[in-house]
Amino acid sequence: MEITRRNLLKTAAVAGAVAAVADVAEAREGRRAAPDEVGMLYDSTLCVGCRACQTACKVANGLPPDARDASGGEYDAPLDLNATTKNIIKLATDGPASTYMKMQCMHCVDPACVSVCMAGALHKVAGGIVAYNPRTCVGCRYCQIGCPFNVPKFEWSKSLPVVEDPKIVKCELCRHRQEGPACCEVCPRGAVIYGKRTALLAEARRRIAAQPGKYFEDRAYGEVDGGGTSVLYLSPAGVSFQALGLPTLPREPLPQLSETVQHTTYKWGLAPIALYAAVTAVQLRNRKADGAAKEEE
Ligand code: SF4
Ligand code: SF4
Ligand code: SF4
């Protein structure tokens, strides 16, 4: 059969229609937080940067101090999250204004790390906590690439030479402790508190309403950002969330887009098969029509 422009356009139109149908069929809904999910509220206006939470985190998780940047001393002085640091306090500046910033896993409502983890090593457990299972982790580090907050860290020191299986390290909201997060327990200022996500959101709104103009944008970061997070942030007026190191994200969870595309194209191979069948049917029909036209001639 001669490939004419008309045939090609017809084929493309059917292919488009099949892809559109598959899109509708496989569109991935964003996950919503359940009422019993827990999290933390960090109010940067209350934090004094004492780093008691950072130390308590290490103790509660059996992590050694990181003295690499301590000018030869033994003081625990990590500069960022790393394989022995699940929680970090940093100074954040925005022009003339400055404040403190606490960073750990955000326990996203619809986490990108869970979405990309092919081994199911990262997964949601009771309370919405994003947990990690080192026994199933294959060390691919896709979670590091997928996380929009740059949270998961890899134990490079164990990989070269291989001492033992290197793991991913990240906060699991102290799920091994009945008392809840150690960082919240020790904070002398109540700058970071633990509770149900819904209650924490209500508390954030109460603080904002009680002191108009005190907070940046009069909202808590994490309520909707990137589909929502279970760790929520209040920043002082004059210090943007971006200055705290929190990225600007759409309201839709990132996995909603990536999985819709992925599932549409590859789930069970149905979409490609349907596409191939449709293209073949159109070509056969065109061939028949071409034959009939030639007979008429
Ligand atoms: S912050 Fe990163 S590691 Fe933590 S749940 Fe979200 S995507 Fe996963
Ligand atoms: S919840 Fe636990 S692991 Fe997470 S930052 Fe706080 S102390 Fe560290
Ligand atoms: S313990 Fe509280 S006040 Fe001290 S650095 Fe941590 S969050 Fe800030």
Side-chain angles (χ1 to χ4, degrees):
M1 183 199 62
E2 195 189 341
I3 296 178
T4 63
R5 186 164 178 266
R6 195 155 167 246
N7 285 347
L8 209 63
L9 285 174
K10 271 190 206 166
T11 308
V14 174
V18 170
V21 168
D23 257 339
V24 172
E26 298 300 334
R28 198 296 209 159
E29 291 294 313
R31 184 182 178 277
R32 287 169 190 271
D36 66 338
E37 294 196 1
V38 292
M40 298 192 284
L41 170 65
Y42 173 69
D43 185 338
S44 177
T45 68
L46 299 176
C47 179
V48 291
C50 66
R51 291 189 163 182
C53 55
Q54 204 175 292
T55 306
C57 178
K58 292 225 164 180
V59 174
N61 289 281
L63 294 165
D66 175 6
R68 286 172 298 173
D69 294 296
S71 307
E74 288 186 359
Y75 188 72
D76 181 34
L79 296 180
D80 211 335
L81 296 178
N82 60 42
T84 63
T85 307
K86 294 185 177 187
N87 174 39
I88 186 97
I89 293 289
K90 293 203 267 191
L91 185 67
T93 54
D94 196 352
S98 67
T99 190
Y100 291 104
M101 168 61 179
K102 178 183 188 297
M103 194 62 198
Q104 71 295 296
C105 175
M106 303 287 282
H107 297 279
C108 303
V109 171
D110 195 342
C113 61
V114 171
S115 169
V116 299
C117 180
M118 62 177 131
L122 286 160
H123 54 284
K124 280 247 173 204
V125 293
I129 296 170
V130 178
Y132 172 66
N133 182 355
R135 288 185 299 280
T136 56
C137 178
V138 294
C140 65
R141 298 185 291 114
Y142 279 9
C143 55
Q144 287 195 295
I145 298 161
C147 173
F149 299 99
N150 197 20
V151 165
K153 300 297 172 199
F154 188 64
E155 291 180 318
W156 285 107
S157 62
K158 291 182 183 169
S159 65
L160 295 170
V162 178
V163 181
E164 58 185 273
D165 284 346
K167 298 188 297 288
I168 287 292
V169 177
K170 75 160 204 78
C171 155
E172 293 181 69
L173 214 64
C174 282
R175 66 190 179 104
H176 62 292
R177 298 180 86 237
Q178 280 200 336
E179 314 89 305
C183 54
C184 298
E185 206 175 79
V186 299
C187 179
R189 299 271 298 155
V192 60
I193 55 173
Y194 171 69
K196 292 251 171 77
R197 185 175 185 270
T198 45
L200 296 173
L201 271 172
E203 174 61 13
R205 289 194 198 111
R206 188 195 65 75
R207 290 184 194 183
I208 291 165
Q211 289 177 282
K214 183 181 178 187
Y215 294 103
F216 175 74
E217 275 192 3
D218 285 346
R219 73 177 186 97
Y221 183 97
E223 179 168 6
V224 292
D225 311 75
T229 56
S230 295
V231 181
L232 305 162
Y233 286 83
L234 288 174
S235 187
V239 182
S240 69
F241 293 130
Q242 291 70 36
L244 289 187
L246 298 168
T248 305
L249 296 173
R251 293 171 75 98
E252 297 76 30
L254 301 181
Q256 189 179 337
L257 175 66
S258 59
E259 285 186 28
T260 297
V261 173
Q262 214 179 5
H263 292 180
T264 297
T265 316
Y266 296 112
K267 196 175 182 190
W268 314 118
L270 285 182
I273 289 167
L275 199 61
Y276 181 74
V279 169
T280 308
V282 168
Q283 292 293 357
L284 285 174
R285 205 185 60 192
N286 291 347
R287 196 176 292 178
K288 238 183 187 173
D290 279 356
K294 272 187 187 135
E295 263 176 36
E296 266 179 36
E297 272 168 28

